[in-house]
Amino acid sequence: SYFISSSHNTYLNGDQLTSLSTPSAVARALRLGCRVVELDVWERKRIGGRDSIIVTHGGTLCSKARFRLMIRAVREHAFVHSEYPVIVTLENHVTKYESQKKMARILKEELGEMLFVWKAGDVVAPNRLLKKVVIRDKPKKPKEDPEEADLAAATESAATPADVLAVLDADPEPGEDDVEAEGEVEHKLLEHQTSSELSELIYIRNTKTKTLPSVTSEALTGHEQFVPSSSWSETKLKKMLNQDDGQGHAGMIFWCQSKLARIYPAALRVESTNYDPSEAWAHGCQVVALNVQEKPEDEALWLNAGKFLARGYVLKPAFMMGAEAGIVSYATQMASQTLATHATLKVGLGEAGPFTTNLARIRDHMIPDVYCEVTIGGGPQQDRQSQKTAAVRNHNPSFGEYEFTFDLAVPELAVVVITLRDRIFGDAIKDHLLGVVSVPVPDVIKGKRLEVPLMGAGMRLLKGDKGGPSPTVTLRFELEVVGGGELSDGAFF
């Protein structure tokens, strides 16, 4: 019932083909507030010695790093800014039994009491797993498993782990666009779990999903022995939503009531660019993984930062966990972009700046032409919109309490992003980013004049010139709900 701030190929510090695999990239993502980190784990064969466990992007020129160092980075940085649990999702290419044992040993040695291992009677929820690390993986039968070999010989008539492999066998890239009949995998996993030390540590189990349900699912209670999960690329998500003449729009919301959906960037995003996470959030997908590698600008990461505000977990709107009729109504109107307006957001813009140190090189020692753009994202397509001001030539521009107005159908999901840029005249040069701030609409402080600090490149807060004041923007928010009152989760649908 939560959205979770999530990262993709977290161990890379740049592009997806040639960059470094480094613990510092994992540390940075965690310090930005990500609560889901992804590690691609492989065996590295050594001549005349034991295989080592490494993290790298297979089939590319990316460097390799020790799995132990990556897990150590998780231990040291996971809870610097938030105590809410961290999920380590393993794209696991390790198949040898001894190597899987080694992985389990590393996880236990490095994480210690931080490592969550389910036991009967546990109640699982974010506030019950503070400072815990949860493992997500796809259980596989390891090669050369002596325990399983003995078990198979002793119980020839019983179902073997091979039965589960027919369902859980590895795909070209584990966790990608697998498909399987609804409910089949979960049932088999309960009966036939692999017995290696590693599988005992996996609480979130990646499974295959072929079809989406047409009715509401039974919500997770927190008492489950494990949580099923599936992964889809941004491209596959669109196909899933259009299943059965568009019935997938409601089906995805139903599915996410009892399972975790992970969405990740398409393989062609080799420069670590991002897709708009809004579509996935609007359909209830909890783990919407983004490339958090440092870039000069990234609108998707600005949205993500505003949605989670470093908390890492955000409760879904109640209607997404509610009755079937409300979800079908919402999904049908969302697909046709005919959702009724349920709130109006007004953003008042006052002063901004000073802008003296973050100017484009073309603007050195010149006065910037500053304009502001306000964008709404995070929810259905109908709510995604933007407006901008005219440019004001000043290091400390004043916009005279300029007011932006946005009608919103699903204010519970909306995130407002305020961007300030220096207008650079000429088609060959992009307007230069001066600063950005983003906040979730349900959390805006209404009716007060707020002086808000700005972020710059790399999601870092901007600093002032030679110890002077840091750049800020003055804002005032008003949120008017149709019919009066406050936002009331679930009442609209």
Side-chain angles (χ1 to χ4, degrees):
S1 59
Y2 290 85
F3 297 112
I4 311 171
S5 182
S6 309
S7 56
H8 170 254
N9 286 355
T10 318
Y11 54 91
L12 295 178
N13 73 345
D15 64 62
Q16 302 289 309
L17 295 179
T18 63
S19 63
L20 296 178
S21 303
T22 170
S24 64
V26 174
R28 177 178 175 274
L30 291 166
R31 287 177 173 270
L32 284 175
C34 287
R35 298 291 86 188
V36 181
V37 299
E38 180 188 21
L39 303 177
D40 292 13
V41 191
W42 299 78
E43 293 156 309
R44 186 178 189 181
K45 296 175 175 60
R46 292 181 174 177
I47 298 175
R50 293 184 177 181
D51 293 350
S52 60
I53 311 300
I54 61 168
V55 173
T56 189
H57 198 194
T60 70
L61 298 177
C62 295
S63 68
K64 303 172 179 63
R66 291 167 57 198
F67 177 66
R68 182 180 291 275
L69 295 181
M70 294 293 184
I71 299 302
R72 187 171 298 169
V74 172
R75 182 191 75 201
E76 294 176 349
H77 300 276
F79 307 111
V80 172
H81 291 304
S82 172
E83 294 186 348
Y84 283 109
V86 165
I87 299 169
V88 176
T89 184
L90 301 175
E91 186 176 297
N92 193 353
H93 302 266
V94 176
T95 58
K96 291 184 179 179
Y97 179 67
E98 288 300 322
S99 296
Q100 288 195 8
K101 284 180 64 177
K102 185 175 182 178
M103 283 184 66
R105 186 171 69 250
I106 289 171
L107 288 168
K108 291 176 181 178
E109 290 174 353
E110 291 297 330
L111 296 175
E113 292 298 316
M114 289 183 180
L115 182 61
F116 173 71
V117 181
W118 183 88
K119 59 183 181 297
D122 281 346
V123 179
V124 179
N127 61 354
R128 297 247 186 174
L129 295 181
L130 298 180
K131 293 192 174 181
K132 290 291 185 180
V133 177
V134 180
I135 305 300
R136 178 185 183 270
D137 195 359
K138 172 184 285 188
K140 296 186 291 288
K141 179 185 176 184
K143 298 177 182 178
E144 305 163 9
D145 184 339
E147 292 183 9
E148 294 297 354
D150 292 344
L151 178 63
T155 57
E156 292 183 1
S157 61
T160 70
D163 297 327
V164 184
L165 284 184
V167 180
L168 296 180
D169 201 10
D171 10 302
E173 192 167 343
E176 295 212 355
D177 301 334
D178 295 296
V179 290
E180 185 59 50
E182 172 70 14
E184 181 177 351
V185 176
E186 292 82 352
H187 177 70
K188 290 187 177 183
L189 273 173
L190 282 171
E191 294 184 354
H192 311 296
Q193 297 180 47
T194 28
S195 63
S196 73
E197 289 84 347
L198 179 60
S199 69
E200 295 171 357
L201 306 182
I202 302 170
Y203 179 67
I204 301 174
R205 303 199 165 202
N206 205 31
T207 63
K208 300 179 181 182
T209 299
K210 177 180 290 184
T211 58
L212 297 172
S214 58
V215 296
T216 53
S217 300
E218 185 175 345
L220 295 171
T221 64
H223 296 278
E224 291 78 9
Q225 184 175 352
F226 69 90
V227 172
S229 174
S230 289
S231 294
W232 296 287
S233 71
E234 56 177 293
T235 307
K236 181 67 175 181
L237 174 64
K238 294 178 182 178
K239 294 179 181 178
M240 295 293 285
L241 297 180
N242 290 320
Q243 276 187 0
D244 301 324
D245 296 324
Q247 296 302 308
H249 291 282
M252 182 61 72
I253 301 173
F254 293 148
W255 191 90
C256 291
Q257 290 179 328
S258 60
K259 305 170 188 67
L260 283 180
R262 175 179 174 266
I263 313 301
Y264 59 90
L268 293 177
R269 295 187 179 276
V270 295
E271 294 296 326
S272 295
T273 57
N274 277 310
Y275 58 101
D276 185 345
S278 302
E279 191 75 4
W281 289 333
H283 288 85
C285 299
Q286 302 96 328
V287 180
V288 183
L290 299 176
N291 289 315
V292 301
Q293 291 80 11
E294 185 168 341
K295 299 176 280 291
E297 296 188 28
D298 195 321
E299 294 179 6
L301 289 186
W302 297 344
L303 265 179
N304 197 73
K307 184 172 187 68
F308 294 101
L309 290 181
R311 296 169 297 189
Y313 287 75
V314 172
L315 194 65
K316 286 186 185 181
F319 74 83
M320 285 189 166
M321 303 300 295
E324 179 181 334
I327 290 174
V328 171
S329 174
Y330 163 72
T332 301
Q333 295 173 51
M334 174 173 57
S336 60
Q337 298 190 40
T338 57
L339 291 163
T341 295
H342 291 122
T344 298
L345 175 70
K346 296 181 179 180
V347 183
L349 177 65
E351 300 81 28
F355 299 119
T356 56
T357 60
N358 189 33
L359 301 180
R361 295 179 67 181
I362 193 173
R363 286 290 193 196
D364 285 349
H365 309 296
M366 297 176 64
I367 300 175
D369 292 299
V370 183
Y371 69 93
C372 179
E373 182 173 16
V374 177
T375 302
I376 303 294
Q381 181 66 47
Q382 181 178 329
D383 279 353
R384 295 171 225 164
Q385 50 195 303
S386 65
Q387 300 173 23
K388 65 177 67 173
T389 68
V392 176
R393 176 164 292 187
N394 202 303
H395 288 291
N396 295 273
S398 174
F399 295 93
E401 303 302 321
Y402 186 94
E403 189 169 83
F404 303 87
T405 301
F406 302 95
D407 290 334
L408 302 174
V410 192
E412 301 98 328
L413 294 175
V415 178
V416 57
V417 180
I418 297 99
T419 309
L420 292 130
R421 294 184 182 274
D422 180 6
R423 174 156 293 159
I424 307 297
F425 295 96
D427 295 337
I429 303 174
K430 184 178 181 180
D431 291 348
H432 179 66
L433 176 68
L434 295 173
V436 61
V437 63
S438 55
V439 293
V441 168
D443 289 350
V444 296
I445 299 174
K446 294 175 287 187
K448 293 186 177 180
R449 207 166 184 268
L450 307 171
E451 187 175 5
V452 184
L454 295 170
M455 294 186 299
M459 310 294 289
R460 290 186 292 267
L461 287 176
L462 296 174
K463 296 182 179 180
D465 184 17
K466 299 178 181 178
S470 298
T472 61
V473 61
T474 301
L475 303 168
R476 188 191 75 260
F477 296 101
E478 297 290 349
L479 184 63
E480 301 170 359
V481 178
V482 171
E486 301 294 323
L487 287 183
S488 177
D489 283 347
F492 298 150
F493 307 100

